[in-house]
Amino acid sequence: MNDTIASPKQSVRSTSSVGISDSDIHPAPKDYRYGLHPYLSKRWRDHLDQFGELGFEALAGGYLYDDYIPYACRRDAWPAGGPPGSDLALMRKQHLDPNNVVFGVLEPMVGMGNGGRNLDLSNALATALNDWQIAEFVEPEDRLRASVVIVPDDAVAVVAEIEKRALDARFVQVQIFTGTTEPLGHRRFRPILEAAAHHGFPIGMHVGGRLGVRTASGWPSFYCEQHLSNTFAAQTQIMSLILDGVFDQLPSLKVIIIECGCAWSIGLGHRLDKLWQRMGSEVASLKHPPSHYLRQNFYFSTQPVEEPDNPEDLNYLFEQIGWDRLLYASDYPHWDFDDPRYAFKARISEEHKALLFRENAKKVYRIL
């Protein structure tokens, strides 16, 4: 499979020259234990009822959020009879309608991460999540679009799942979490990236995964450590994809870094270029400096944005990253939700607002 985009999928209609595109909305099933059962075969329903899920690190306990932010969600987003993100009517009332969201990308964070030890189960859950997104969110709400949830450790199954969804315009990206078992530049993942590029899907690389909550130096003592360490996983993935030559092979492939911040990418590009200048013979096949690929093949969601003490300095940061590389993200219904009316304290020009809130998303997701 090459990097040539296949026959175009059905046209994805959004959008006008007004309104907001949101690259990060988190849906949830009405019941975490049984919400996906209607989309699973009897074999896997029975399996989950008897055994549950076995994570990749069986003894790794979660260290995610304190009790004051249960499920990492804002308290006013809890509907009657389900967790935050499970009630489409409430999502409309709290976010889609008042903020004039005309295009929103679903980023499921439930049911599985990057797969456990049982890949057959994880693949079944991924397919169920994909069917569930369409049936319960996208079909009844034409402003929403789905992500193709996959299990990267089974490239054969992933390619089949991408092929299955490729001509369905309701899917707009392939979703992979930052916490993979190995960095995504490794060759065993190349068929997945080839399939995504072939069908014009960007990779939506969202913070998270099933590899526990270790930092690069070991287990953290505090939530603050774990939360910030997610950024480092994104940096690792960027370095791997660039240095392993993915974008020389697949120049049309786009990667969206979601919920990991973005200001750090400036220094990362500078430092990679310096190392490449001194040790470039190690990666002699690279055709360009690393910052070239960072600038051409990566996008960044804005939540959580690194707000400088002087709000106007945000314009300087975004200029270095590239105004055409940034996608507004709300992270609804999480506790650190960014309301588009108040997310950026800097005075941003109307031209740049149009890119940030709408035009960049239309481009990378190929919205007409």
Side-chain angles (χ1 to χ4, degrees), residues 57-75:
E57 292 181 342
L59 302 180
Y63 188 91
L64 294 176
Y65 303 98
D66 258 338
D67 289 343
Y68 76 97
I69 41 174
Y71 292 107
C73 291
R74 38 190 275 195
R75 289 187 176 275

Side-chain angles (χ1 to χ4, degrees), residues 312-332:
E312 299 311 314
D313 288 343
L314 187 66
N315 280 287
Y316 177 65
L317 290 175
F318 282 0
E319 188 71 36
Q320 292 185 77
I321 297 167
W323 284 101
D324 61 336
R325 299 286 109 183
L326 297 160
L327 307 177
Y328 164 72
S330 71
D331 196 29
Y332 179 88

